[in-house]
């Protein structure tokens, strides 16, 4: 109980600090020297960090201010440092052709991954987190300054893709071939050939994949950030995607078809794979004061397990309609048809906008997790 209340108290403290900085214009005073040391926020990642590449953020839409929308976590973190004006560097109307916007420092693109598959352009497309970071470095002139804060999130879609490929093994020879192709994105062919025939080989291979993915991710962070002068790099670790409505539904389908034990085994395997990634990433950056790991896995898991401690009333049901997300998910529409017994604003205490993305309040909680990590690093 003490752990839950402590995290909740810290979250509220982070919200209060953000409000204070905004009210003061990010202004000085000896009480906030760290805020003065950050003059630019650079963001790379997936839909969680995307401020509008495709015209809308991946959360509930603000009908009263569609262009600004509700703030998502990079904007909230930026406000903690008195920084505003996050805008998407990449823009697209079809997910195929992209234009760029000079002056924008948010390179995140919805549906991005650390290992972006060749079918979506591989490392040459904005759907690749490494490509985003390489582009950001190029735009920055090939070097970073001590006043840059670089915020990176990635891995959720990689976990999604791994789980999907693993479940495809039920499709027989075609599923096995597809799984081998997927694994080959980061694993050597010899490793795949030696691992898959083993007892429980496909699950073992998934763990090796996640470890290798973390190594690849770190190498990207090192070559595009740390080796180029970055001194403030905040990296979100990978959350437990099995707790999202999307994958709870998948686990429910497995339970219906194969029994509860099979679903529990799959969920345990997913958590093992994700933990392999997080452990390897943590080991790679251990002792490097230039990198702050945000414990997204631990904080998100605690929010789902103990929602009341975070003022959440629902951590299972998406608030948005399944069709047309995110553009179709207007706050006015939600308020016009609240659940039985609920009042306007009911969605503000729910965790999930859709099956995979947070509500505006979920973004506040994620921003609080990041702020705590930055504070522990001495940057906030």
């Amino acid at each position: 109980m003490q752990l839950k209340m402590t995290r909740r108290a810290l979250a509220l403290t982070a919200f209060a600090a953000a409000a204070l900085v905004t009210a003061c214009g990010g202004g000085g005073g000896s009480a906030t020297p760290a805020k003065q040391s950050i003059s630019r926020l650079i963001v790379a990642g997936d839909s969680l960090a995307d401020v509008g590449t495709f015209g809308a953020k991946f959360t509930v839409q603000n009908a009263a201010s569609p262009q600004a929308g509700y703030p998502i976590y990079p904007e909230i973190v930026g406000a903690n440092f008195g920084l505003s004006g996050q805008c998407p560097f990449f823009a697209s109307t079809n997910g195929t052709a992209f234009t760029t916007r000079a002056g924008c420092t948010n390179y995140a693109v919805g549906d991005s991954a650390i290992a972006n598959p060749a079918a979506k352009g591989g490392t040459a497309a904005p759907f690749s987190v490494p490509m985003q970071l390489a582009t950001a470095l190029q735009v920055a002139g090939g070097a970073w300054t001590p006043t840059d804060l670089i915020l990176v999130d990635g891995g959720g879609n990689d976990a999604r893709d791994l789980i999907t490929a693993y479940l495809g093994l039920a499709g027989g020879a075609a599923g096995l071939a597809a799984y081998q192709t997927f694994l080959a994105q980061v694993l050597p062919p010899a490793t795949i050939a030696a691992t898959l025939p083993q007892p429980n080989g496909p699950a073992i291979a998934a763990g090796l994949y996640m470890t290798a993915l973390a190594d690849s991710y770190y190498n990207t962070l090192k070559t595009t950030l740390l080796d180029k002068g970055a001194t403030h790099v905040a990296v979100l670790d990978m959350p437990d995607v099995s707790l999202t409505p999307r994958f709870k539904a998948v686990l429910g389908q497995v339970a219906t078809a194969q029994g509860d034990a099979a679903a529990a085994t799959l969920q345990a395997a997913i958590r093992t794979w994700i933990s392999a990634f997080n452990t390897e990433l943590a080991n790679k950056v251990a002792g490097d004061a230039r990198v702050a790991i945000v414990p997204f896995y631990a904080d998100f898991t605690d929010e789902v397990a103990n929602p009341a401690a975070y003022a959440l009333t629902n951590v299972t049901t998406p608030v948005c309609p399944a069709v047309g997300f995110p553009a179709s998910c207007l706050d006015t529409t939600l308020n016009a048809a609240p659940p039985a017994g609920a009042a306007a604003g009911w969605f503000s205490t729910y965790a999930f906008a859709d099956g995979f993305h947070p509500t505006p309040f979920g973004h506040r909680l994620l921003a609080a997790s990041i702020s705590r990590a930055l504070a522990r690093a001495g940057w906030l």
Side-chain angles (χ1 to χ4, degrees):
M1 186 60 172
Q2 182 63 39
L3 174 63
K4 291 183 284 183
M5 292 307 294
T6 298
R7 281 184 173 164
R8 174 63 180 153
L10 284 170
L12 290 172
T13 299
F15 297 157
L20 178 60
V21 171
T22 302
C24 296
S30 59
T32 57
K35 295 182 177 66
Q36 296 297 316
S37 68
I38 299 298
S39 63
R40 183 169 58 169
L41 175 63
I42 296 91
V43 180
D46 53 31
S47 54
L48 293 180
D50 185 343
V51 292
T53 298
F54 304 104
K57 302 171 189 177
F58 289 79
T59 188
V60 178
Q61 306 303 303
N62 185 345
S65 183
Q67 185 170 7
Y70 288 107
I72 62 173
Y73 85 79
E75 297 168 301
I76 300 169
V77 172
N80 286 350
F81 291 94
L83 303 175
S84 60
Q86 280 273 305
C87 58
F89 178 83
F90 294 106
S92 178
T93 59
N94 57 15
T96 302
F98 288 83
T99 58
T100 60
R101 295 170 174 154
C104 293
T105 61
N106 188 305
Y107 295 82
V109 174
D111 204 30
S112 292
I114 299 167
N116 184 49
K120 289 171 52 186
T123 57
F127 291 112
S128 163
V129 175
M131 183 273 195
Q132 295 169 19
L133 290 170
T135 302
L137 175 63
Q138 181 180 21
V139 172
W144 303 106
T145 74
T147 61
D148 290 328
L149 172 61
I150 305 167
L151 184 56
V152 190
D153 92 61
N157 291 328
D158 294 271
R160 174 203 65 190
D161 294 344
L162 172 61
I163 297 164
T164 301
Y166 179 81
L167 292 173
L169 288 167
L176 176 60
Y179 190 54
Q180 291 172 316
T181 299
F182 178 85
L183 294 173
Q185 292 181 114
V186 297
L187 288 179
T191 299
I192 298 170
T195 305
L196 288 180
Q198 298 178 26
N200 204 30
I204 295 172
L208 295 176
Y209 179 92
M210 281 300 210
T211 299
L213 183 69
D215 289 337
S216 173
Y217 193 30
Y218 173 75
N219 289 338
T220 293
L221 298 174
K222 184 177 184 299
T223 57
T224 61
L225 303 178
L226 302 178
D227 290 349
K228 301 300 182 181
T231 57
H232 299 85
V233 179
V235 183
L236 280 67
D237 68 10
M238 192 182 294
D240 182 359
V241 299
S242 76
L243 297 175
T244 64
R246 175 185 293 186
F247 280 102
K248 282 186 176 180
V250 171
L251 292 170
Q253 292 167 2
V254 172
T256 298
Q258 303 176 38
D260 291 341
T265 298
L266 175 60
Q267 185 171 41
I270 292 170
R271 288 171 171 168
T272 297
W273 304 335
I274 293 173
S275 294
F277 176 93
N278 289 341
T279 298
E280 183 70 5
L281 181 62
N283 288 339
K284 285 290 187 180
V285 305
D288 193 333
R290 299 170 298 175
V291 182
I293 295 292
V294 179
F296 191 11
Y297 184 102
D299 288 356
F300 174 58
T301 299
D302 196 58
E303 289 162 14
V304 173
N306 306 290
Y310 298 89
L312 289 164
T313 60
N314 189 303
V315 294
T316 59
T317 308
V319 304
C320 295
V323 178
F325 179 85
S328 65
C329 188
L330 298 175
D331 53 3
T332 49
T333 304
L334 297 179
N335 285 330
W346 60 273
F347 60 88
S348 64
T349 58
Y350 278 51
F352 292 102
D354 75 335
F356 214 52
H357 301 94
T359 60
F361 184 65
H363 275 284
R364 289 175 60 194
L365 290 173
L366 179 51
S369 292
I370 295 167
S371 293
R372 291 196 296 274
L374 300 184
R376 285 191 291 268
W379 304 344
L380 179 64

